[in-house]
Amino acid sequence: LDHLACELPKKVIFGQVMTGCVARLSSPAPPARKAGMACLGVIAEGCSEPMREALPHVLPHVLQGAADPDAHVRECACFALGQMSEHLQPEVLVYSSQILPIVFALLDDTTVAVQATSCYVLEMFCERLEPDAVRPVLDPLVRKLAAMLESTTKQSVQEMAVAALAATAVAAEEEFTPYVGGVSALMTKLMSLQEERLYSLRGRALECMGHMAIAVGKQTFRPYFAGTMQCACDGLATDSTDLHEFAYAAFANLAKVMGEEFSFVLPELVPHLLKVIGADEGTVEKARDENAQNGDFGYLEDSDDEEGSNHPGYVLHVRTALLDAKKGAITAIGEMAAHTGQAFVSHLEEVMEVLAKAGREHWHPLIKCEVAEALPSMVIPSVAAYHNGALEWTKGDVSGPNPMSQHTLAITQAVLTELIHLMQDEDKETVGKACEGVQSVIELVGPHGLVPVAADCLKYTHDLLSKKAPCQQDEETFGEYVDDDDEDLEDHDAFMTAVCDLVGSFARVMGAHFKQYLKEFLPAICAYSKPTRPASDRAMAMGCLSELAQELEGSISEYWESVFFPTMLAGLADPDDNVKRNAAFCTGVCCESMGEVLTPQYGTMLQGLMPMLSLDANAGGEPTMAAMDNATGAISRMIMASPENVPLSQVLPGLLSTLPLKTDMTENETVYTCLLGLLQMSQPDLLQQREEVKRILREATAEGSKVPDEIQQKLRDALQGMN
């Protein structure tokens, strides 16, 4: 079922599975309820998109199952909650006030398996929480997990409790500081375990120290740095690949936190990591005779190793533990390059050689994907050494002198060449990471870094948008099962978000030079905005158009009537709030950049924006609140661009009712600049809303406000002037 959910069109499988699950959840037979609950958890990854939309209806069933009298059902409910917490981000976080108390209570369950699985839920759920969400339960949660860790003799429960503590620290951030000493003392005991059967618990403790370092920062963690490093290095002296993997994760986190203070270990650590990355974790052997007797399918015999071969009569044996360790080593190398500054420069040549070989020659997508994520970090040490950590560049300016040193230019071209190669990989996740890597590099070094590879980069990006890339060819293989015209069955490919983000980055770096490519790129982008596409596709396309409008400004005018305006209006009327949100932002930035040219369409745009101001934020959660905030920002931009073309007497009451902003704080500057401008003009319609304006100014400047301090001071001055 897990595999079917991941591979089949979601609209084919989701409804049928949900119907079966819900029917079993109401059964008087505990095994039936257990089966229904387990299935909900199993499909959470593959059917994440429709399950996000159905979360308000699905979650009550799971929370009810967590209180079931049967322990097996409670355990499966915890499993389902953990899967939802892992795969339904960020929508599931809205329900933290409902989920956390229930999971908190399950930590005291009389069944050990339920206790362990509830720790798993905490680990998955807390990793993405903000400090505000975890604060109400932080103290009792840490105390309960610590007590559980000390009182239980079950290794599985101990490991899950340690993982939950680590995730809690990440969520609490600096608020975890009071607990660092006590938790570190517990972890130090576990990190000294010598029995081989306890190595996984020892590794979990090391992992927890790394996560605590991320949470509380360099100053607070410094007293524990040396001890944690010693434990990680001691793990490398064992034969346990599990301990090696945990050590590499710790090195990655400690490098991220300690920065240049980590550089003293580079001369010893980098060669070790490169040896691991270059090691062979698989062997091809001639099949045993008994396999040959099984006919053509003998090489499919199962074993503890991953097996398979394109060559009859041979078997590929893979030591998966070494594969995971290699992935961890690549992660560690990437973080060290990103955070140890110029001290890493002397290692760049040998590191690039090993990473390039792994990216081009390794057979496993896990490794190639990790290489794609690590490669961009190789540019950072050069920028630190030759440019004091930052490169100054101007959008679209390739005629002036190249601001890059020869060293930075050389490493940039080497990195981009490898990333562009990985953009042509057959694995979608690898391609997505490669696109993210290209984006981060060109935004770091500017247009001079992009120019030498621009032709290939643009071509392969357009191929991806047009579904002509190697990683999309399997979609043609499955075409016989799905009508080519039935786009309603197509699912959102998560990696395509990175592709669209890269298109926006081209505009950000190339500026007006990118205009010449709009004729090819716009149709490919807009294909994802059709009503028959999944909501995530429509939101992605609308977001891409927004970025293009923001970065290219008036250069899009040629395509306003034929592309931007109709697509934007469709987005404002879309049933999905994420699409609405992006369409509203696009509306605002177009009005801001194109000015008076768009005023004839103001009325039509306001008809699409005004209903968004009265959406039910409580019912829709974060996406709805973000849509309201972006509609508020869009109307504010319209007012500032051409106040005489906005019917303020009709617009202001609705606009003011949405303030202060609820979730998208990036719109604060726009909204309050508009409000202060109208106050300065003594705009009559605004002055009629005097008390409402004073309410907004008081709330926006109250303690805990997320409005930037500089803006808050202007608002306080305005409030004082109104009193």
Side-chain angles (χ1 to χ4, degrees):
L1 184 61
D2 179 26
H3 200 65
L4 290 173
C6 289
E7 299 299 332
L8 288 180
K10 306 308 172 261
K11 291 192 177 181
V12 171
I13 190 171
F14 182 68
Q16 295 185 57
V17 175
M18 284 301 301
T19 300
C21 287
V22 173
R24 283 159 179 77
L25 291 177
S26 59
S27 169
R33 298 198 301 277
K34 173 189 172 184
M37 195 64 70
C39 287
L40 282 179
V42 162
I43 67 170
E45 178 182 7
C47 294
S48 59
E49 184 159 345
M51 192 171 270
R52 282 190 186 98
E53 297 176 10
L55 201 52
H57 310 292
V58 175
L59 189 60
H61 290 293
V62 181
L63 296 180
Q64 184 178 350
D68 196 280
D70 185 89
H72 296 296
V73 179
R74 295 198 302 277
E75 182 183 356
C76 281
C78 281
F79 165 72
L81 272 177
Q83 289 288 287
M84 291 176 179
S85 299
E86 183 174 1
H87 299 295
L88 306 187
Q89 299 280 356
E91 286 81 0
V92 72
L93 298 180
V94 174
Y95 303 94
S96 61
S97 61
Q98 299 175 47
I99 293 174
L100 283 177
I102 289 175
V103 179
F104 194 77
L106 288 171
L107 293 172
D108 291 326
D109 199 277
T110 54
T111 305
V112 170
V114 176
Q115 289 182 3
T117 316
S118 61
C119 288
Y120 159 67
V121 178
L122 284 172
E123 180 189 4
M124 293 297 103
F125 194 78
C126 289
E127 278 184 344
R128 309 280 182 87
L129 278 180
E130 295 293 325
D132 290 349
V134 78
R135 186 180 298 123
V137 295
L138 179 59
D139 187 70
L141 180 56
V142 173
R143 292 181 186 279
K144 183 165 287 192
L145 289 171
M148 179 186 294
L149 184 58
E150 291 189 287
S151 63
T152 185
T153 57
K154 293 283 186 180
Q155 185 177 340
S156 60
V157 176
Q158 289 177 314
E159 288 186 26
M160 297 305 291
V162 171
L165 274 170
T168 303
V170 171
E173 296 179 1
E174 291 182 354
E175 294 185 25
F176 199 80
T177 298
Y179 308 100
V180 171
V183 174
S184 293
L186 289 173
M187 296 305 116
T188 300
K189 292 179 184 177
L190 299 179
M191 288 192 298
S192 63
L193 294 170
Q194 297 299 318
E195 292 181 64
E196 190 171 342
R197 66 180 183 84
L198 298 175
Y199 276 174
S200 57
L201 179 57
R202 172 175 163 179
R204 284 287 187 182
L206 179 59
E207 178 183 61
C208 184
M209 293 298 287
H211 284 160
M212 280 201 300
I214 294 289
V216 300
K218 180 190 296 188
Q219 298 301 326
T220 302
F221 192 78
R222 185 175 283 115
Y224 311 98
F225 174 43
T228 306
M229 281 294 295
Q230 186 61 54
C231 174
C233 292
D234 289 346
L236 296 183
T238 70
D239 293 329
S240 169
T241 50
D242 281 346
L243 274 185
H244 294 185
E245 187 182 347
F246 281 118
Y248 302 149
F251 293 145
N253 284 331
L254 293 175
K256 191 183 298 183
V257 173
M258 303 308 295
E260 294 183 3
E261 292 182 32
F262 190 90
S263 60
F264 75 96
V265 297
L266 293 179
E268 292 185 29
L269 205 49
V270 170
H272 169 85
L273 294 172
L274 293 181
K275 184 178 179 181
V276 173
I277 297 169
D280 186 5
E281 71 288 327
T283 56
V284 178
E285 300 175 359
K286 196 165 184 65
R288 299 189 301 270
D289 289 342
E290 57 266 30
N291 283 350
Q293 293 169 6
N294 290 334
D296 290 340
F297 299 100
Y299 66 88
L300 294 178
E301 180 193 348
D302 193 18
S303 80
D304 291 338
D305 291 338
E306 292 186 6
E307 299 187 352
S309 174
N310 292 325
H311 307 287
Y314 289 86
V315 178
L316 174 62
H317 294 276
V318 180
R319 291 170 289 175
T320 53
L322 285 180
L323 198 66
D324 292 333
K326 179 176 288 193
K327 175 181 178 292
I330 296 171
T331 303
I333 280 282
E335 294 296 347
M336 290 175 195
H339 299 285
T340 56
Q342 61 183 9
F344 200 86
V345 169
S346 60
H347 304 283
L348 280 175
E349 185 174 349
E350 57 180 342
V351 170
M352 276 300 301
E353 183 179 344
V354 173
L355 288 182
K357 183 177 180 182
R360 287 180 179 267
E361 298 181 10
H362 204 279
W363 57 275
H364 203 290
L366 188 74
I367 299 303
K368 290 190 285 188
C369 187
E370 205 62 35
V371 168
E373 192 157 10
L375 277 169
S377 297
M378 300 305 121
V379 180
I380 297 174
S382 183
V383 174
Y386 296 95
H387 304 279
N388 294 319
L391 260 168
E392 299 292 333
W393 54 268
T394 303
K395 180 196 292 189
D397 181 11
V398 291
S399 58
N402 189 338
M404 285 188 284
S405 67
Q406 286 300 311
H407 186 277
T408 304
L409 180 61
I411 190 69
T412 295
Q413 295 313 302
V415 166
L416 286 176
T417 298
E418 298 308 319
L419 287 172
I420 290 169
H421 175 78
L422 290 169
M423 285 176 67
Q424 305 162 67
D425 197 77
E426 294 180 354
D427 176 64
K428 290 180 177 179
E429 189 174 356
T430 299
V431 172
K433 290 296 183 184
C435 290
E436 291 174 8
V438 172
Q439 177 181 348
S440 66
V441 170
I442 64 175
E443 291 185 3
L444 176 63
V445 302
H448 281 279
L450 176 59
V451 166
V453 295
D456 285 345
C457 212
L458 289 163
K459 177 189 181 302
Y460 296 133
T461 304
H462 188 268
D463 285 349
L464 287 162
L465 287 169
S466 306
K467 297 187 178 181
K468 296 177 181 177
C471 68
Q472 295 159 316
Q473 297 314 300
D474 63 333
E475 294 171 14
E476 307 218 346
T477 305
F478 291 104
E480 60 191 283
Y481 300 108
V482 180
D483 187 344
D484 288 340
D485 295 328
D486 192 0
E487 289 184 328
D488 196 41
L489 288 177
E490 292 193 36
D491 295 318
H492 171 69
D493 267 325
F495 86 102
M496 286 303 299
T497 300
V499 178
C500 284
D501 287 345
L502 181 55
V503 174
S505 184
F506 289 149
R508 194 169 303 119
V509 174
M510 296 171 67
H513 293 293
F514 190 69
K515 178 185 176 182
Q516 61 188 301
Y517 302 102
L518 289 178
K519 185 177 180 180
E520 289 77 29
F521 274 84
L522 287 178
I525 294 165
C526 289
Y528 292 88
S529 69
K530 294 178 182 178
T532 51
R533 300 294 309 183
S536 295
D537 272 4
R538 303 196 304 274
M540 175 185 75
M542 200 70 251
C544 188
L545 291 179
S546 300
E547 286 197 67
L548 291 175
Q550 187 174 33
E551 299 299 338
L552 300 181
E553 299 178 338
S555 297
I556 68 165
S557 57
E558 180 182 344
Y559 301 95
W560 168 252
E561 292 283 355
S562 60
V563 177
F564 284 86
F565 187 48
T567 308
M568 187 188 71
L569 290 180
L572 293 175
D574 197 280
D576 184 83
D577 286 338
N578 283 316
V579 183
K580 280 189 172 80
R581 170 189 188 172
N582 289 345
F585 181 74
C586 187
T587 305
V589 296
C590 285
C591 291
E592 184 176 47
S593 61
M594 297 176 68
E596 295 291 331
V597 176
L598 302 191
T599 54
Q601 283 115 357
Y602 265 34
T604 307
M605 288 187 273
L606 285 170
Q607 286 177 8
L609 289 167
M610 288 301 293
M612 293 172 61
L613 301 180
S614 54
L615 292 171
D616 186 351
N618 294 324
E622 198 274 341
T624 303
M625 291 189 284
M628 297 172 70
D629 288 347
N630 278 267
T632 302
I635 295 172
S636 299
R637 285 183 170 90
M638 294 172 74
I639 293 171
M640 288 190 288
S642 185
E644 62 275 12
N645 284 289
V646 178
L648 293 174
S649 60
Q650 301 171 39
V651 167
L652 283 176
L655 185 74
L656 297 176
S657 69
T658 66
L659 297 175
L661 298 175
K662 298 165 180 61
T663 185
D664 190 347
M665 298 302 148
T666 61
E667 293 288 4
N668 269 321
E669 184 173 358
T670 295
V671 169
Y672 291 116
T673 299
C674 174
L675 185 62
L676 291 170
L678 292 174
L679 279 173
Q680 194 171 12
M681 293 164 53
S682 299
Q683 208 284 325
D685 297 302
L686 184 68
L687 295 180
Q688 288 185 11
Q689 304 283 329
R690 186 182 186 87
E691 292 305 313
E692 180 72 346
V693 173
K694 290 169 70 174
R695 173 196 67 79
I696 293 166
L697 297 179
R698 282 194 295 268
E699 292 182 20
T701 56
E703 186 177 353
S705 169
K706 294 182 180 179
V707 177
D709 292 341
E710 184 180 342
I711 298 175
Q712 278 198 45
Q713 187 55 53
K714 294 178 181 178
L715 298 180
R716 288 191 189 94
D717 294 342
L719 180 59
Q720 189 173 7
M722 295 182 72
N723 289 330

